[in-house]
Amino acid sequence: MDRHSNQYEKAFRIIFDAYKNRLFGYVLAISHSHYTAEEITQEIFLKLWLCRDVLDRVDNLEHYIFTIARNKTLNHLRKADTDSKLVDGLR
């Protein structure tokens, strides 16, 4: 493992530990679904890990993370609404 990978892992662990509970609670408050909150929280941290090399250019990490959370949650709710309307239309 090279030095950069180890630094990324340590930084990611710090971010994960700092935000996982608040982020889950935020998504849960919007979605009202424990399952959805778990899924979206995991997706957010996956996105952060995949984009880890650009995070040092983010001015306000907390704002960035919670903006991702809001957008992913609202997109999920819109898709769920559209899917349920589609199913209703097939009945």
Side-chain angles (χ1 to χ4, degrees):
M1 182 177 299
D2 68 13
R3 187 174 63 85
H4 290 292
S5 294
N6 196 22
Q7 287 176 333
Y8 286 136
E9 287 177 20
K10 286 179 183 178
F12 182 80
R13 172 54 68 182
I14 291 167
I15 292 168
F16 180 80
D17 289 342
Y19 289 102
K20 65 181 176 184
N21 292 332
R22 287 178 48 215
L23 197 55
F24 175 82
Y26 179 74
V27 175
L28 181 61
I30 297 170
S31 69
H32 304 288
S33 166
H34 194 273
Y35 175 79
T36 298
E38 284 181 355
E39 291 293 311
I40 291 174
T41 300
Q42 287 178 10
E43 288 176 20
I44 293 164
F45 283 111
L46 177 61
K47 179 177 176 119
L48 291 173
W49 177 252
L50 294 174
C51 299
R52 64 191 175 272
D53 55 332
V54 298
L55 291 179
D56 60 343
R57 293 188 292 247
V58 173
D59 291 330
N60 185 330
L61 185 61
E62 182 170 328
H63 179 72
Y64 181 75
I65 290 171
F66 281 90
T67 298
I68 293 170
R70 184 192 68 230
N71 292 341
K72 280 192 170 290
T73 305
L74 293 177
N75 287 340
H76 173 82
L77 293 173
R78 282 186 205 105
K79 184 177 183 322
D81 185 50
T82 301
D83 290 351
S84 67
K85 286 178 182 174
L86 178 63
V87 170
D88 288 346
L90 295 174
R91 292 184 185 164

